[in-house]
Amino acid sequence: MKQGPPLFFPLSSDEADTQAPALPGLFLPADLLLMAMHFISHTAPALSCIDSGGIARSIATNIAYGVCNVDASLRVRANGAGNAASVAGRVYSHGTWRDPAVRAQLSEKLGLSLASALREDFEWYCCRGAFFHNDAHYEARLFGIWCITGPRAELVFPRAAVRLECAPGTIGVFDPFEVHGILRASANVFSAGDYDATEASVFVGFELDLTLAVAAAFCIKPGMAGRLISSRTRISASSGELDSAG
């Protein structure tokens, strides 16, 4: 079976308190990652959000990851999207689309309980590194990215002390309210100059409706739990730290 990239697990709480996430971290065999999505749980302080209807929920404490082979035709389609990433650190959209074959492939990878919540629309995203941010404008859904082309990098969740290998074939599914960014390997902060000459990463972006099954899989609960986070919450683009003033 084709060898895939390694995955990095969250640090222990002691390590998270004393240092940046260490590399290379723990390794999961590629054949296991190709078989099914896997979940990691973090122990960052609880956060909550409120949707436009006034309904509160907790932020997910699980992140899903896996590997799904990318066929040549999808790589060709992705190549044109990468040209849009003109400014390092910004994430660019290159249009929405639908494709039954891509949907079927992702559905098989996600498994029945997640696939039943998969929305029909996909979106091309591209970036040359991505500064830390959240996507709090996405309500009542989880966000997924399937890397199609680009250099090896890391999908980093600084608050959760989780780093995942981000390379062609890798998939991450997470709560859009959770702070995240894409950094070069071993980097602990985002600096735009590190990516000025970097090839763009291109992703298929997808969304999962926040069904009961999805909420259970990602440990999302109704009601307030901890600090409220929203699109107005200020986030350090370089470190991912939340402003203490909100």
Side-chain angles (χ1 to χ4, degrees):
M1 187 169 289
K2 184 179 179 181
Q3 179 69 24
L7 267 288
F8 301 104
F9 275 56
L11 299 171
S12 69
S13 58
D14 289 341
E15 289 175 311
D17 288 340
T18 59
Q19 64 183 60
L23 296 177
L26 300 177
F27 175 75
L28 274 179
D31 55 351
L32 185 61
L33 292 173
L34 284 165
M35 288 173 61
M37 297 293 289
H38 293 264
F39 290 83
I40 54 175
S41 179
H42 66 80
T43 57
L47 293 177
S48 296
C49 63
I50 299 177
D51 67 19
S52 58
I55 305 299
R57 69 167 178 86
S58 67
I59 304 303
T61 58
N62 279 353
I63 298 168
Y65 57 92
V67 174
C68 187
N69 289 327
V70 179
D71 65 34
S73 63
L74 194 57
R75 286 197 299 271
V76 170
R77 291 164 60 186
N79 286 335
N83 297 329
S86 57
V87 177
R90 290 190 58 185
V91 180
Y92 292 85
S93 169
H94 198 64
T96 58
W97 45 282
R98 295 183 178 185
D99 187 314
V102 171
R103 180 179 173 80
Q105 187 177 9
L106 267 177
S107 293
E108 182 178 4
K109 179 64 188 181
L110 292 172
L112 183 60
S113 62
L114 300 187
S116 62
L118 179 62
R119 295 188 173 188
E120 290 189 6
D121 289 339
F122 300 110
E123 188 164 1
W124 288 118
Y125 289 104
C126 59
C127 65
R128 289 188 289 118
F131 58 74
F132 289 114
H133 64 286
N134 71 5
D135 296 290
H137 52 287
Y138 287 99
E139 292 185 4
R141 72 195 81 174
L142 295 188
F143 189 59
I145 54 173
W146 180 16
C147 184
I148 306 303
T149 65
R152 287 200 171 189
E154 289 169 9
L155 174 59
V156 181
F157 300 88
R159 197 186 71 89
V162 174
R163 308 173 73 98
L164 303 177
E165 182 78 5
C166 181
T170 59
I171 295 175
V173 183
F174 52 91
D175 196 317
F177 282 80
E178 187 62 63
V179 177
H180 54 280
I182 296 177
L183 274 61
R184 59 183 175 82
S186 304
N188 296 314
V189 297
F190 176 83
S191 177
D194 292 339
Y195 307 91
D196 285 340
T198 300
E199 177 189 355
S201 297
V202 181
F203 304 90
V204 171
F206 59 93
E207 300 170 12
L208 302 181
D209 287 320
L210 196 51
T211 63
L212 290 176
V214 170
F218 287 84
C219 293
I220 297 171
K221 300 177 181 179
M224 293 290 293
R227 176 180 174 179
L228 181 68
I229 189 170
S230 72
S231 58
R232 295 185 294 275
T233 302
R234 289 176 293 185
I235 299 168
S236 169
S238 60
S239 70
E241 292 184 1
L242 301 178
D243 191 309
S244 59

